[in-house]
Amino acid sequence: MDPKDWNLVYETNDKFDAELIKAHLQEMDVEAYVFDHQASMFKSLNQTNYAVGVYVHPENESKAKAYIEEHNKKS
């Protein structure tokens, strides 16, 4: 994954929530990727908090953010 080709549209500490959003975005024909920072080499050994990010291509960013905003209103 090349970071310049993807934009972060959602960040959470709940991997299930991120995967759910990714699935809904894919149903809308928005390619999405979940990056789990806990599983990455960037995680510090002393760090107990971690984030899970949902990434999309720049051309889908506004569509993804609109869905996420609506999703958060229902939660």
Side-chain angles (χ1 to χ4, degrees), residues 17-41:
D17 191 38
E19 290 289 349
L20 184 63
I21 287 176
K22 173 189 167 187
H24 285 283
L25 291 174
Q26 289 176 330
E27 287 176 1
M28 297 167 42
D29 293 322
V30 173
E31 186 179 4
Y33 178 80
V34 172
F35 183 70
D36 183 349
H37 296 272
Q38 185 173 12
S40 78
M41 69 175 109

Side-chain angles (χ1 to χ4, degrees):
M1 180 175 121
D2 188 350
K4 73 176 187 247
D5 295 334
W6 297 83
N7 289 353
L8 177 67
V9 292
Y10 187 70
E11 191 170 46
T12 181
N13 292 333
D14 184 351
K15 186 171 183 177
F16 177 79
D17 191 38
E19 290 289 349
L20 184 63
I21 287 176
K22 173 189 167 187
H24 285 283
L25 291 174
Q26 289 176 330
E27 287 176 1
M28 297 167 42
D29 293 322
V30 173
E31 186 179 4
Y33 178 80
V34 172
F35 183 70
D36 183 349
H37 296 272
Q38 185 173 12
S40 78
M41 69 175 109
F42 302 112
K43 183 177 181 287
S44 164
L45 293 175
N46 296 332
Q47 184 180 2
T48 56
N49 294 335
Y50 71 97
V52 180
V54 179
Y55 291 81
V56 299
H57 287 288
E59 64 270 13
N60 292 319
E61 184 175 3
S62 60
K63 186 176 182 180
K65 285 184 174 180
Y67 165 77
I68 291 165
E69 184 177 321
E70 193 62 33
H71 168 78
N72 286 338
K73 286 180 185 176
K74 294 178 183 178
S75 299

